[in-house]
Amino acid sequence: MQLLLGHRLAAAVLTAAVLAVGAVFLFAMPKPAVYHPKGLHKLVVPSYVGRADRGWTWTQGVPGFQFGRDEKEWNFALLHPSDLATLRAGAPAAGVDPASLRVLDAARTAVHAKPYLIVAGRGAKGGTCIGAQPGALPVQFFCAAQLKGHHTVVIAAPQKYSKSIGWSIHISGIVDAAVRAVLVTTPGRTIKDMRSGKPVIRPEGAIPLLQTGEKTWGTFASFEAQPVPWSARLDFLGDNGKKLFSLPLRFDAPGATVYVR
């Protein structure tokens, strides 16, 4: 687990350095507090961060981060309030108070690119609504009626093929109280197994993006690259590791899709 954590955070730090912006929120990944490369700010998850305690309801009200508060701990994508302008403009039509929007997850996959955003806001009846901004594509909001019977809102965005990276998919999402863990499996990805003393190349298998006991809003994120065209699978687990459902992700071209499952 510690080796995996180091690999994931090192990759996130490298991405941030290349893009000159933060790549993704790290609260949805394995706990970052145990990995502190020299010179990096020590991440501290704010005490008010917590998962939904019942369905899509958070005890403290609308979840998410606010500009001007604890930004060192969450604003790795270097968001500015203006980055929420499109979401604020689309909120009233969905019955969401635009002034109530808070950031749950954000990522930039290229310098100056419009970010992928997942936000929360207050609906017409006071409940929490989830908003998704899939990059430059139209925003979508999901309130009680749209979320009923569903456990996750996911943005999946296959990126342009790169000779140095391969085919990569940006994935970010939020889950309700029923989901305790999220795993991602990416075909074609391998690991070098040294347990026998000799290198053995094996399939990477399922990687945890969210696990029981982690302090998070219920967000998860991944930016997996693979040597074959865009394909991945998310598995959502409930209590005692019981699989609730899976979400296959397969694409023929770059773009972005919002899923509610």
Side-chain angles (χ1 to χ4, degrees):
M1 181 62 187
Q2 299 301 325
L3 291 176
L4 171 62
L5 175 56
H7 166 74
R8 286 192 164 279
L9 285 175
V13 170
L14 177 60
T15 302
V18 171
L19 299 181
V21 297
V24 293
F25 288 135
L26 301 182
F27 298 135
M29 295 183 180
K31 297 178 182 178
V34 300
Y35 182 81
H36 306 305
K38 185 176 180 180
L40 290 185
H41 171 67
K42 182 177 180 180
L43 304 179
V44 179
V45 182
S47 61
Y48 52 83
V49 174
R51 300 192 191 196
D53 62 324
R54 178 174 51 84
W56 290 96
T57 301
W58 282 256
T59 300
Q60 72 275 28
V62 176
F65 298 105
Q66 301 177 64
F67 290 103
R69 183 181 184 189
D70 300 316
E71 288 197 48
K72 284 186 178 181
E73 317 301 342
W74 66 266
N75 198 359
F76 304 109
L78 302 183
L79 295 179
H80 184 272
S82 62
D83 286 310
L84 270 63
T86 304
L87 283 155
R88 291 194 180 102
V96 178
D97 176 6
S100 71
L101 296 185
R102 297 183 180 183
V103 178
L104 291 169
D105 191 77
R108 296 184 195 272
T109 55
V111 177
H112 307 308
K114 196 165 186 177
Y116 298 101
L117 292 171
I118 296 180
V119 303
R122 186 177 299 105
K125 295 183 179 180
T128 293
C129 298
I130 303 298
Q133 176 177 295
L137 298 179
V139 302
Q140 300 180 51
F141 281 92
F142 308 95
C143 294
Q146 294 83 17
L147 294 172
K148 185 177 181 180
H150 300 297
H151 299 295
T152 187
V153 176
V154 177
I155 296 175
Q159 305 297 301
K160 290 182 179 179
Y161 172 77
S162 164
K163 287 184 178 180
S164 60
I165 297 175
W167 288 267
S168 59
I169 305 175
H170 162 72
I171 300 170
S172 58
I174 177 77
V175 298
D176 75 346
V179 177
R180 308 306 301 162
V182 180
L183 309 176
V184 62
T185 301
T186 309
R189 284 184 62 88
T190 58
I191 59 172
K192 184 182 292 186
D193 189 341
M194 297 294 294
R195 288 176 296 181
S196 66
K198 296 181 179 181
V200 178
I201 304 302
R202 303 186 187 279
E204 182 181 59
I207 299 298
L209 301 181
L210 176 67
Q211 299 181 90
T212 299
E214 290 176 1
K215 196 167 182 59
T216 164
W217 296 114
T219 50
F220 59 92
S222 171
F223 195 86
E224 296 286 0
Q226 58 190 127
V228 296
W230 307 282
S231 177
R233 187 187 74 246
L234 297 175
D235 293 316
F236 297 84
L237 312 181
D239 291 333
N240 302 315
K242 180 181 178 181
K243 183 185 288 188
L244 299 175
F245 61 99
S246 296
L247 175 60
L249 301 171
R250 297 184 181 90
F251 306 96
D252 297 321
T257 304
V258 178
Y259 299 89
V260 181
R261 294 289 189 272

